[in-house]
Amino acid sequence: MDSPSSSSVIIIGAGISGIAAAKVLAENGVEDILILEASDRIGGRIQKERFGGVSVELGAGWIAGVGGAESNPIWKLAAESGLRTFFSDYSNARYNIYDRRGKIFPSGIVADSYKKAVDSAIQTLRESNKNNNNGDSDSKALTPMELAIDFMLHDFEMAEVEPISTYLDFGEREFMVADERGYDYLLYKMAEEFLLTSEGRILDTRLKLNKVVRELQHSRNGVTVKTEDGCVYKANYVILSVSIGVLQSDLLSFNPPLPRWKMEVIEKCDVMVYTKIFLKFPYKFWQCGPGKEFFIYAHDRRGYYTFWQHMENAYPGSNILVVTLTNEESKRVEAQSDKETLREAMVVLRDMFGPNIPEAIDILVPRWWNNRFQRGSYSNYPIIPNLEDFHNIKAPVGHIFFTGEHTSERYNGYVHGGYLSGIDTSKALLEEMRKEKERKSENQTLLLEPLLALTGSLPLSHPDTVSNIHKCDIPKQLYLRDQLGIPEAKL
């Protein structure tokens, strides 16, 4: 068997955090890197797919936080790359709530219920954080409309009831990515700056796809990485850019195991499952125009095919509807056939728009929960987080550094959170590498001090001879046998 290849840094995961981390390292002279990606593509939870003749985003699909005094870094990258986006106006979604008879609830009744739900949610969150629980809704809402509003408040970031950092820092507007090149085009543009590419393809051997990492052996001397296909790689350091769901699963093992403080915070972190189901129709039968992009279905089961969006603004004439499920409903639908999911969705649509609407001609159901390389969509912290948890979730363990949107204190759950965390992790690693270099230099100086004392009694032909001596000039046998009283070097 060949000797394992060795690198300065191995990055595990080629999502936006991993690519951003690798870029920062390369820009700072650390080019001896290796990126190991479990799937057959880069992007992680940013993934496009062709459906109904257009490119749709299965995972992250919006740039959230635009229009403020400070520019969102992802918005800046999108502008530089000419990525096609359009503004998503959620403000009228609550006024397009359909009951099961196809009637839209009067706006006055909805506005009053929405205000009461917001006030109740704020109070519940405050009380839950005082009691150190997660603040999940207890479904006190009784009517289908109230359940729909409750779902919007607690399952969509656009309707969170307390100010959050993304909107405070970058602005309150959100833009949907609707570009045939896909959201992941931003990652390819970043990769082009430090990896060998040709015609949009990454050819650089420092990126290895289909490499499923299963074990990390770590010590003071570095990290050994073992993959599912039997390959072994060694590095001085590892940046682990995998989702919190993967860290909670049994995909990765650590030898020795991670310390208790690390495992406790990993297990404490909640994982959100967010499923966008795409339906293609022969023609559109839903309302379009200003304020009609989003509409809500009020059912007596919370989260049952509740939140809908048409794709006419993004792709005119595409005749595509998207319905978003979350958490337990997502897991339930992932476990059943697409045929059954289509049947359920059509019953809901016929409740809203009548029995004569056409049958969908195609369906696309992403499965983020059952994807062993993701195990969910994004992290979900309480509104008032425990700052110690954020410190522990991103703190390195020996030579293993952790990154990803779940390590971002201010922007967890967002694409820009993943991007900025990758940058921050690389900067922390560069600082550690600088300190390690200084420590080695100091240790070499300490090793030479006994030798300098010994040579002080030797006749010297030039005054500077002692200062120029190096440990490599000592006979190897004397050095290794400690016959000069010099401690054996431990590498």
Side-chain angles (χ1 to χ4, degrees), residues 410-431:
R410 292 186 64 78
Y411 311 121
N412 55 89
Y414 292 92
V415 173
H416 50 274
Y419 173 74
L420 292 172
S421 70
I423 293 174
D424 290 344
T425 302
S426 273
K427 288 180 177 178
L429 176 53
L430 287 166
E431 178 63 14

Side-chain angles (χ1 to χ4, degrees), residues 95-113:
Y95 300 119
N96 294 324
I97 302 180
Y98 289 79
D99 65 17
R100 299 184 69 176
R101 298 171 300 168
K103 303 295 185 181
I104 296 180
F105 287 94
S107 59
I109 295 175
V110 171
D112 183 61
S113 295

Side-chain angles (χ1 to χ4, degrees), residues 204-233:
D204 204 303
T205 57
R206 290 176 295 173
L207 170 67
K208 296 188 181 298
L209 303 176
N210 300 304
K211 290 293 181 182
V212 183
V213 174
R214 297 306 305 270
E215 183 180 358
L216 281 78
Q217 297 178 351
H218 55 108
S219 68
R220 289 180 299 175
N221 298 323
V223 186
T224 299
V225 178
K226 296 184 177 182
T227 59
E228 200 165 63
D229 59 2
C231 292
V232 179
Y233 305 92

Side-chain angles (χ1 to χ4, degrees), residues 11-15 17-18 36-38 45 213 216 239-248 251-252 254 372-374 401-407:
I11 296 106
I12 299 174
S17 296
L36 301 178
E37 166 56 41
R45 286 164 281 172
V213 174
L216 281 78
I239 292 179
L240 191 55
S241 177
V242 299
S243 72
I244 191 67
V246 168
L247 289 176
Q248 292 176 348
L251 182 67
L252 280 172
F254 297 84
R372 66 181 182 137
F373 305 146
Q374 304 298 341
F401 282 66
F402 295 79
T403 196
E405 52 84 11
H406 58 280
T407 69

Side-chain angles (χ1 to χ4, degrees), residues 59-293:
W62 277 267
I63 303 174
V66 179
E70 184 180 352
S71 179
N72 185 320
I74 299 300
W75 181 248
K76 184 178 179 182
L77 289 174
E80 292 171 351
S81 301
L83 203 68
R84 180 174 174 261
T85 63
F86 72 93
F87 174 60
S88 288
D89 184 4
Y90 294 101
S91 61
N92 291 310
R94 74 191 69 158
Y95 300 119
N96 294 324
I97 302 180
Y98 289 79
D99 65 17
R100 299 184 69 176
R101 298 171 300 168
K103 303 295 185 181
I104 296 180
F105 287 94
S107 59
I109 295 175
V110 171
D112 183 61
S113 295
Y114 190 84
K115 183 180 183 303
K116 290 179 180 178
V118 169
D119 293 342
S120 174
I122 291 174
Q123 184 64 28
T124 300
L125 284 167
R126 287 172 177 166
E127 291 176 356
S128 66
N129 281 293
K130 286 180 183 178
N131 298 326
N132 293 320
N133 58 45
N134 60 17
D136 287 341
S137 170
D138 58 7
S139 294
K140 291 180 181 178
L142 299 176
T143 69
M145 181 186 69
E146 290 168 337
L147 284 171
I149 290 173
D150 183 78
F151 177 81
M152 292 169 63
L153 282 174
H154 291 90
D155 290 58
F156 282 85
E157 63 273 6
M158 62 88 181
E160 290 195 48
V161 296
E162 294 229 342
I164 56 177
S165 301
T166 285
Y167 301 117
L168 290 175
D169 293 351
F170 301 129
E172 297 183 353
R173 306 181 80 194
E174 296 191 22
F175 285 78
M176 183 176 178
V177 175
D179 194 298
E180 290 291 345
R181 297 168 296 178
Y183 206 153
D184 60 2
Y185 179 69
L186 300 184
L187 278 79
Y188 283 96
K189 293 299 290 183
M190 280 194 288
E192 284 179 354
E193 297 184 29
F194 67 97
L195 294 176
L196 175 64
T197 62
S198 176
E199 298 180 352
R201 296 178 59 211
I202 301 174
L203 306 178
D204 204 303
T205 57
R206 290 176 295 173
L207 170 67
K208 296 188 181 298
L209 303 176
N210 300 304
K211 290 293 181 182
V212 183
V213 174
R214 297 306 305 270
E215 183 180 358
L216 281 78
Q217 297 178 351
H218 55 108
S219 68
R220 289 180 299 175
N221 298 323
V223 186
T224 299
V225 178
K226 296 184 177 182
T227 59
E228 200 165 63
D229 59 2
C231 292
V232 179
Y233 305 92
K234 289 182 177 291
N236 298 330
Y237 296 94
V238 159
I239 292 179
L240 191 55
S241 177
V242 299
S243 72
I244 191 67
V246 168
L247 289 176
Q248 292 176 348
S249 75
D250 60 0
L251 182 67
L252 280 172
S253 65
F254 297 84
N255 186 13
L258 294 176
R260 179 181 295 178
W261 60 265
K262 186 61 128 179
M263 289 305 303
E264 284 179 351
V265 73
I266 287 173
E267 293 304 322
K268 186 186 295 186
C269 188
D270 190 24
V271 176
M272 187 83 167
V273 189
Y274 186 99
T275 306
K276 293 184 291 186
I277 299 172
F278 299 85
L279 297 162
K280 170 76 172 180
F281 292 89
Y283 57 86
K284 66 174 180 286
F285 50 83
W286 49 88
Q287 296 183 21
C288 292
K292 300 297 183 182
E293 180 182 351

Side-chain angles (χ1 to χ4, degrees), residues 100 102 345-360:
R100 299 184 69 176
M346 289 307 305
V347 170
V348 169
L349 287 170
R350 286 180 173 131
D351 279 351
M352 288 190 283
F353 298 105
N356 298 322
I357 62 171
E359 188 79 9

